[in-house]
Amino acid sequence: MTRVFSGVKPTGHLTLGNYLGAMRQWAAVDQHRADALFCIVDLHALTVHHDPARVRRLSRQAATLLLAAGLDPALCTVFVQSHVDEHARLSYLLECVATDGEMRRMIQYKEKAALESRRGGSVRLSLLTYPVLMAADILAYGAHEVPVGDDQAQHVELTRDLAVRFNQRYGHTFVVPRATHPTVAARVMNLQEPASKMGKSDDTGPGIVYLLDEPDVVRRKVMRAVTDSGREVLYDRESSPGPANLLEILAACSGGNPAELAGRYDSYGTLKKDTAEAVVEVLGPVQQRHKELCADPGYVEGVLRDGAARARGMARPTVEAAYRAIGLLPTGSDGG
């Protein structure tokens, strides 16, 4: 059976982009067609300055929202990365296979390192090496597919390269995974800056719809979305990124086609109103289920505990095989 792995980093509140671009497909499709693992990758949240209490709070919230979005622990495995030691164990082995040049070519590292340098500072070493940890997250489970947005495709390519290199040098150990991309709303853009992704770590709040935003807050943000000076509603990502973003969000929520929807509108005001209502309707059930789960924290904790135990059982044989393959003595072995 195909195995799928994907993760959510608890560096900010989950957004409409996270839901339409990934979480909804995980719940509606991936957990039913595959042996699927969904992980709160909290170790990745430590690569930048952070508040420990906030990381814990956001990790718990992310797990609750994944379940609220429809992930069923009877169908898939939901767990927290730091609860499974095999991630960190395998990451070091893969650091011994990766090269410094590969790490420094990673786009996110280059961008963040350059930004920090302009501020007169320096990034943490873990930011340089975290793509290797991401590779370990995937390879430990023998995942065949990794659903990601376009911005993470480079990291999956690195994972493939490391798996092939390890297999060639030390014997076949890892499944070589491939990236898969959602077909609709794979990249929901910021309502105020439609050239930028709607990221949960962003600080431009007015352009981001969070999954737990109240309906009136959602409506206000969508109604204030950036559009064009022209009057005609067009679907063109290049020349009209603001309207195109609204049309893609509306299409993702209503099941329509962005280009066809454009022809139904003769004003941006009506487009914004319909988009806002569609978003409110889509988020309503998720918010209601989240409220119910928050009233029963013991259930969520149990899901994460059982998920970690299941994930550990899947990962350990592969990681142990990697330890043997690379030349480390098994526990209790005399080296024979």
Side-chain angles (χ1 to χ4, degrees):
M1 189 176 186
T2 298
R3 181 166 288 177
V4 171
F5 179 94
S6 199
V8 171
K9 185 163 59 174
T11 51
H13 299 287
L14 294 177
T15 72
L16 178 67
N18 296 125
Y19 181 70
L20 295 180
M23 294 164 61
R24 186 170 65 171
Q25 177 165 314
W26 296 349
V29 179
D30 291 335
Q31 69 174 343
H32 298 282
R33 70 173 181 84
D35 182 8
L37 299 101
F38 302 104
C39 182
I40 294 87
V41 287
D42 53 345
L43 294 176
H44 292 295
L46 310 185
T47 60
V48 295
H49 177 74
H50 64 277
D51 172 25
R54 186 169 186 265
V55 171
R56 285 191 290 270
R57 185 170 63 252
L58 289 174
S59 297
R60 188 174 295 109
Q61 183 186 88
T64 306
L65 280 169
L66 288 179
L67 297 174
L71 292 187
D72 184 348
L75 298 175
C76 64
T77 304
V78 181
F79 67 105
V80 176
Q81 179 189 31
S82 64
H83 293 176
V84 180
D85 292 345
E86 278 66 25
H87 291 257
R89 292 181 63 206
L90 182 56
S91 182
Y92 180 73
L93 294 197
L94 295 178
E95 284 186 17
C96 297
V97 175
T99 68
D100 176 73
E102 284 177 314
M103 296 299 99
R104 296 187 187 279
R105 284 195 297 271
M106 293 290 109
I107 294 172
Q108 291 191 21
Y109 170 77
K110 289 169 67 175
E111 291 177 347
K112 292 181 180 180
L115 177 62
E116 196 62 33
S117 178
R118 289 195 295 270
R119 293 172 175 171
S122 179
V123 296
R124 300 183 181 191
L125 178 61
S126 56
L127 185 66
L128 177 65
T129 60
Y130 99 89
V132 177
L133 176 57
M134 183 176 175
D137 298 337
I138 298 165
L139 297 179
Y141 297 100
H144 303 92
E145 297 179 5
V146 188
V148 292
D150 295 339
D151 59 328
Q152 293 293 330
Q154 186 186 33
H155 291 148
V156 180
E157 283 305 309
L158 173 70
T159 301
R160 290 172 55 84
D161 290 343
L162 295 180
V164 169
R165 190 178 306 154
F166 192 102
N167 289 346
Q168 290 176 341
R169 289 180 181 176
Y170 305 114
H172 185 79
T173 306
F174 299 119
V175 172
V176 180
R178 66 183 182 92
T180 59
H181 305 281
T183 56
V184 178
R187 240 174 123 81
V188 177
M189 312 308 280
N190 190 299
L191 296 174
Q192 292 297 316
E193 300 177 14
S196 302
K197 190 179 74 166
M198 186 183 286
K200 62 182 179 296
S201 303
D202 207 331
D203 57 3
T204 52
I208 303 171
V209 175
Y210 296 104
L211 293 189
L212 296 179
D213 276 347
E214 294 289 338
D216 286 346
V217 174
V218 173
R219 294 186 181 100
R220 184 165 61 250
K221 289 179 177 180
V222 175
M223 293 304 294
R224 293 177 180 175
V226 169
T227 51
D228 295 336
S229 57
R231 294 186 177 183
E232 187 178 5
V233 177
L234 298 173
Y235 177 62
D236 189 324
R237 270 179 171 261
E238 296 300 321
S239 64
S240 302
N245 188 38
L246 290 173
L247 288 164
E248 290 191 353
I249 291 172
L250 178 59
C253 292
S254 66
N257 176 279
E260 293 176 0
L261 287 171
R264 301 179 188 177
Y265 293 95
D266 55 14
S267 75
Y268 291 130
T270 307
L271 171 60
K272 289 180 178 181
K273 183 176 182 298
D274 286 357
T275 303
E277 293 306 320
V279 172
V280 168
E281 185 174 350
V282 162
L283 294 187
V286 177
Q287 294 179 349
Q288 178 59 36
R289 180 58 178 151
H290 177 267
K291 183 177 180 180
E292 295 168 357
L293 290 169
C294 286
D296 187 10
Y299 171 76
V300 177
E301 291 173 5
V303 168
L304 296 179
R305 182 174 58 251
D306 294 344
R310 192 185 311 164
R312 200 175 298 118
M314 293 183 198
R316 185 160 294 168
T318 298
V319 175
E320 293 293 346
Y323 267 59
R324 291 192 299 271
I326 206 169
L328 300 178
L329 283 176
T331 303
S333 171
D334 61 3

